[in-house]
Amino acid sequence: MIGELISYPVKGCAGVPLSETVLTYTGLAHDRSFMVVDKEGTFRTQRRDPRLSIIRPTIDTGGERLTLCAPGFKDMHIAVDLDSPRQGVDLFGRRYQGIDQGEGPAEWLSSVLGSASRLVRVPPEHDRVTDGRTPGTSGYADSSAVHAISRATLNELNRRLNEPSIPMSRFRPNIVIEGWDEPHLEDRAHRMVAGNVELGYAKLAIRCAVTLVDQQCGEKSGPEPLRTLATYRRAAAGGVAFGAKFSVLRPGKLAVGDTLTVPVWTDSQLNASQPT
């Protein structure tokens, strides 16, 4: 069953919990449609700018108005611009296009983050191709369109920790799966179906320093969960894995409470090299 749905309209910023949503080929509606970049056009990430997590975006259904909120700052209301000239942006060393959203959002973000920043929107003609066992597309997400983790997977991690539990928000999933007794089943879900929606497994989610950031206060909080994950979730292809990435094979609508079925299972890639 789908226990939670979370969209992240601005890459690196706080998530927006949803009771229902449209799922497109690029993911949940408006997911990673916007990105904060530095003055050279390189994306900002919680790896270097953990204060991104305290910025809470909201966006209307049509994607025409975006609001950014942060503690101690006046809300920034943005009429989304899709018409201005495109400019080059850098995401993990790859060049894409972005539509700059103007001076107001740039000044606001620069004040919150303490360094020169601008806000860009993915162009409608964006045609990025993502890799993995099932190729797909996405906006400004790190890779595939949908990131899913089961509650059983998080429970297993917290069982192994010798300190307070890690919340699901540290891993920033789009879909939280409830009702699975065994952890890490998402590793083996080659196809997942909910209603008229179908997802195809792309790859394991390899974790980084973003998981060290307290998503409520925007500060790094220590070695966990990476230290514990390294004891039992080392991937043969490198890094530690937690959760899985999926491409959208058939778009449609999703809602919390929808039954999620897995018509095709496969072997986990944890102990095998992942395809590129």
Side-chain angles (χ1 to χ4, degrees):
M1 181 184 78
I2 295 177
E4 296 179 46
L5 292 168
I6 310 103
S7 179
Y8 304 85
V10 182
K11 182 177 179 63
C13 295
V16 178
L18 304 168
S19 58
E20 59 183 13
T21 185
V22 171
L23 181 74
T24 71
Y25 284 111
T26 59
L28 275 62
H30 312 302
D31 188 62
R32 277 86 171 193
S33 292
F34 298 84
M35 184 166 68
V36 182
V37 299
D38 63 18
K39 59 185 179 181
E40 282 81 35
T42 300
F43 81 109
R44 291 202 179 280
T45 166
Q46 286 188 31
R47 299 167 185 83
R48 297 185 298 271
D49 296 286
R51 280 178 60 81
L52 282 167
S53 70
I54 69 170
I55 299 173
R56 303 195 173 276
T58 57
I59 191 166
D60 67 347
T61 302
E64 297 174 347
R65 296 200 62 85
L66 175 72
T67 299
L68 303 179
C69 307
F73 293 84
K74 185 178 179 180
D75 292 355
M76 169 56 59
H77 300 284
I78 303 162
V80 176
D81 179 2
L82 295 178
D83 300 320
S84 290
R86 280 57 173 154
Q87 65 180 50
V89 295
D90 184 293
L91 179 60
F92 293 110
R94 295 189 176 184
R95 298 295 288 178
Y96 297 100
Q97 295 293 300
I99 304 171
D100 191 283
Q101 297 301 299
E103 295 302 323
E107 292 174 4
W108 190 91
L109 287 164
S110 299
S111 296
V112 174
L113 298 176
S115 54
S117 301
R118 302 196 71 85
L119 182 69
V120 297
R121 206 280 192 187
V122 67
E125 67 273 14
H126 183 74
D127 61 353
R128 178 184 181 189
V129 177
T130 56
D131 62 5
R133 182 181 288 168
T134 305
T137 187
S138 68
Y140 290 138
D142 280 5
S143 56
S144 304
V146 175
H147 175 205
I149 302 176
S150 73
R151 182 68 60 184
T153 294
L154 180 65
N155 289 344
E156 175 62 15
L157 167 63
N158 284 325
R159 186 186 69 80
R160 292 169 179 264
L161 288 173
N162 294 315
E163 56 183 72
S165 296
I166 296 291
M168 186 68 83
S169 61
R170 290 281 192 95
F171 300 99
R172 300 172 61 80
N174 296 118
I175 298 175
V176 177
I177 302 168
E178 304 280 3
W180 288 356
D181 294 331
E182 182 182 338
H184 307 294
L185 285 180
E186 57 268 36
D187 293 9
R188 302 195 293 106
H190 185 63
R191 292 285 184 269
M192 293 200 300
V193 175
N196 63 342
V197 164
E198 184 175 4
L199 304 175
Y201 173 91
K203 62 175 74 173
L204 297 173
I206 302 300
R207 310 319 308 204
C208 66
V210 171
T211 61
L212 307 180
V213 177
D214 185 316
Q215 297 295 303
Q216 299 303 311
C217 67
E219 297 178 357
K220 290 187 177 180
S221 62
E224 297 294 1
L226 293 181
R227 180 173 61 186
T228 295
L229 286 175
T231 66
Y232 75 107
R233 289 293 296 175
R234 287 193 178 274
V240 295
F242 193 85
K245 303 288 185 75
F246 293 83
S247 296
V248 178
L249 297 178
R250 189 168 65 238
K253 293 183 178 180
L254 290 175
V256 171
D258 281 354
T259 299
L260 187 68
T261 61
V262 180
V264 182
W265 295 93
T266 189
D267 294 333
S268 172
Q269 290 184 321
L270 187 68
N271 298 315
S273 297
Q274 298 186 61
T276 57

